[in-house]
């Protein structure tokens, strides 16, 4: 088993990565737990619920199941309250443990539920998409969406542990792998030129789900995320660089309506847009934008953004949580493997949008 | 101005107590704030909103107002979302500051909104009831209610500061003063025999709103609460003693429907019930129960509990957040000024209920 440790001010926890991990989840449950509730969706549940439930029942505790509908549009108040309804009607107490079995939507909503149920109970992340394994399950960001913006309501709340079974990636479709790979290559782009080059060289192995390549990519992504989160748990500084491509990406998701593009597809396109914006601002070598476009395209993500009006783009980006004092704040790259955060003028943003839409 | 400092692991803040404090709230707003939203209700707003708004406008920032309906039954999702709607539609960012102008309901819901809006923004407590000044505004417990239990959804999230204007108590009715005094005497009962005796000796001054007596009672209550919260911010141990009378009290509020008895009235009755239960368990001197009954009665709170069936009482108490492993946990007193937390058998609880209902 590969273990990545996350050290944050609010505590320390492990990311445990191994094939077949789903069958050993009982070992992740704290010894003083009083009951367990698994939160999942019908799609993931059909594939893995019985195995996960069986492994959790080995603790001897009651295991409840909460099935929420599948999709980003369901990461809302209504479904959050469905979790609370089950917990309360089964009189689950402060020592209950939630298990998030699913992708980012399940992880975000379950983590948020855990952070506010009785002012905070423990939860375990069991991410079943590549995107969740390399990004959303690690670092303690939890949230639900609001009609006026994505992830607007949430908390910083760390899991007890993250349990990654790389075998589950075999049941994902190609789009979901693409979506996850956009976050993988993002880590290289913001922090680690060597890892970016490794991704360029191993893209075919990753796309064909080669176990060793995937295992390395997941572990390196988790290490880089753990490094950043360990330095800045609550996003007062460095952590913002993890949002490279996300200001554009969130605008795409919100503008098209959540669920039309996968989150990682929007982020992939956002990486291209952010590198074009960086290029305009810092006069970067043209080859950098080309390499970003080329790798985003190879992983199967779109490189051309939706054709919203410039006003709509700006309006969608003004609600981003990174913004301060009404300015729009972007993560930008200065070269491959180096990034920074900066307010950008609307004129520059509009130029970058014109270059990346059609 | 009297200042009580609260030192908790997540930070340190001041409780500032003085007559006329409402006119100086601009000094409480952090210098890097980008905008302000006051959350209040129509009753408090009619009395104090224009003064508070005027003092906050001295910061030069935009000040928005969010008016929620008055009452515990409105401390729910619907009204929580009304806060988010205003914040988001005005594009308020992570450096926005919320001001909770009102009693415990406004303080709890505003604090919870602040704790989860964009994963946490700052907020200032401006409590306008005695109950909120001595209890709910201090210590960082925030929450909304769920149909299956009070304060079931919330967070531990400390305010930037608590601003107490004792002049506002003049506009409260007698019931609200009684309700607040039940929390004041609670501090004596759990922690400070001298303060309990002071309350017995000064009850008439408190009831007639003598400024010096009120000022002392508020300051001493805040000091005792700050002491407990400083030792145990997240209620993993000592802090539970602050809930003396609350297990019974919450059952009363929930069983009768929120709002039929004021929170402090239910707690006052709960103090009597908890002392009867303590007496049964620890064979206390009978004079203790008599002194508790007598002081609770003098402050104007009920000393006889509603006549629910024993099964209903138990069921209502089983959802209490302090419970573990399906047992019912109570705060009990061993003498006046000393308390502890203990699981109690249903038989004993039923005996105490029979002795305190009619």
């Amino acid at each position: 088993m590969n273990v990545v440790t996350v050290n944050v001010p609010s505590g320390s926890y492990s990311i445990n990565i191994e094939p077949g991990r789903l069958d050993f989840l009982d070992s992740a449950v704290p010894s003083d737990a009083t009951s367990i509730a698994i939160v999942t969706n019908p799609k993931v549940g059909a594939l893995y619920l019985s195995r996960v439930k069986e492994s959790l029942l080995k603790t001897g505790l009651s295991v409840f199941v909460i099935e929420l509908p599948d999709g980003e549009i369901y990461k809302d108040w209504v479904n959050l309250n469905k979790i609370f309804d089950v917990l309360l009607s089964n009189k689950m107490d402060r020592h209950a443990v939630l298990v998030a079995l699913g992708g980012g939507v399940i992880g975000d909503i379950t983590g948020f539920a855990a952070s506010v149920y009785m002012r905070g109970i423990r939860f375990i992340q069991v991410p079943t998409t590549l995107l969740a394994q390399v990004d959303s399950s690690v670092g303690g960001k939890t949230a639900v969406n609001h009609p006026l913006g994505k992830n607007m309501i949430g908390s910083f709340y760390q899991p007890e542990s993250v349990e990654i079974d790389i075998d589950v990636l075999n049941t994902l479709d190609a789009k979901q792998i693409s979506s996850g790979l956009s976050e993988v290559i993002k880590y290289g782009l913001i922090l680690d030129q060597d890892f970016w080059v490794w991704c360029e060289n191993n893209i075919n192995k990753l796309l064909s789900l080669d176990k060793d390549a995937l295992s390395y990519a997941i572990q390196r992504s988790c290490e880089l995320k753990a490094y950043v989160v360990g330095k800045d748990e609550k996003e007062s500084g460095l952590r913002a660089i993890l949002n490279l491509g996300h200001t554009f990406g969130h605008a795409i998701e919100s503008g098209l309506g959540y669920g039309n593009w996968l989150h990682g597809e929007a982020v992939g396109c956002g990486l291209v847009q952010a590198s074009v914006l960086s290029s305009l601002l810092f006069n970067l070598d043209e080859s950098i934008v080309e390499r970003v476009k080329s790798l985003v395209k190879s992983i199967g993500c779109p490189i051309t953004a939706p054709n919203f009006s410039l006003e709509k783009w700006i309006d969608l980006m003004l609600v981003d949580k990174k913004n301060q004092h009404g300015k729009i704040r972007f993560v930008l790259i200065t070269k491959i493997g180096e990034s920074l955060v900066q307010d950008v003028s609307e004129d520059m943003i509009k130029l970058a949008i014109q270059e990346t839409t059609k």
Side-chain angles (χ1 to χ4, degrees), chain A residues 73-218:
Chain A
I73 55 163
Y74 300 109
K75 200 173 90 179
D76 63 5
W77 293 111
V78 174
N79 287 291
L80 182 66
N81 272 296
K82 281 188 197 161
I83 300 178
F84 299 141
D85 292 345
V86 173
L87 303 184
L88 283 167
S89 59
N90 288 292
K91 301 201 190 312
M92 290 176 73
D93 67 20
R94 278 186 178 170
H95 292 255
V97 173
L98 300 189
V99 174
L101 175 66
V105 170
I106 290 292
D108 284 2
I109 196 169
T110 305
F112 186 51
S115 75
V116 299
Y117 182 68
M118 295 193 174
R119 300 198 183 93
I121 62 173
R122 291 167 295 185
F123 82 112
I124 297 166
Q125 290 276 19
V126 186
T128 58
T129 63
L130 180 57
L131 185 85
Q133 291 181 346
V134 297
D135 180 29
S136 57
S137 71
V138 176
K141 276 194 181 179
T142 80
V144 293
N145 299 324
H146 183 281
L148 294 176
K150 197 180 164 188
N151 292 332
M152 283 296 156
I153 312 302
S155 57
F156 291 99
Y157 196 74
Q158 304 294 337
E160 281 299 286
S161 67
V162 182
E163 308 293 334
I164 296 181
D165 186 337
I166 67 164
D167 285 347
V168 304
L169 302 179
N170 295 323
T171 55
L172 296 180
D173 60 33
K175 258 188 166 218
Q176 285 174 302
I177 297 293
S178 300
S179 179
L181 288 175
S182 71
E183 297 281 357
V184 170
I185 65 171
K186 177 199 76 181
Y187 292 111
L189 199 48
I190 55 175
L191 277 171
D192 185 344
Q193 180 165 24
D194 289 349
F195 184 50
W196 172 270
V197 172
W198 182 91
C199 290
E200 286 179 326
N201 292 337
N202 289 274
I203 188 64
N204 290 329
K205 284 190 183 169
L206 289 170
L207 288 170
S208 63
L209 304 184
D210 175 276
K211 263 190 198 185
D212 290 339
L214 276 177
S215 210
Y216 176 71
I218 292 169

Side-chain angles (χ1 to χ4, degrees), chain A residues 16-67:
Chain A
N16 302 314
I17 309 167
E18 70 175 338
R21 185 77 195 143
L22 291 189
D23 296 320
F24 304 98
L25 295 181
D26 54 314
S27 63
V29 177
S31 59
D32 65 340
T34 48
S35 62
I36 300 169
I38 304 167
V39 183
T40 191
N41 67 40
K43 205 168 145 191
V44 175
L47 291 165
Y48 303 117
L49 182 58
S50 63
R51 264 174 76 196
V52 166
K53 196 170 172 183
E54 195 179 331
S55 97
L56 291 170
L57 281 169
K58 283 187 267 173
T59 59
L61 299 170
S62 301
V63 178
F64 302 93
V65 175
I66 302 165
E67 214 168 63

Side-chain angles (χ1 to χ4, degrees), chain A residues 229-241:
Chain A
V229 170
K231 293 213 161 194
D232 177 22
E233 183 177 10
K234 298 197 174 171
E235 199 165 88
S236 46
L238 179 69
R239 184 166 180 163
I241 65 167

Side-chain angles (χ1 to χ4, degrees), chain A residues 3 10 12 16 40 73 96 131 137 191 255 260 287 293 299 304 313:
Chain A
V3 179
S10 61
S12 150
N16 302 314
T40 191
I73 55 163
L131 185 85
S137 71
L191 277 171
N260 280 296
S287 69
K293 275 189 190 166
I299 64 172
T304 306
W313 273 105

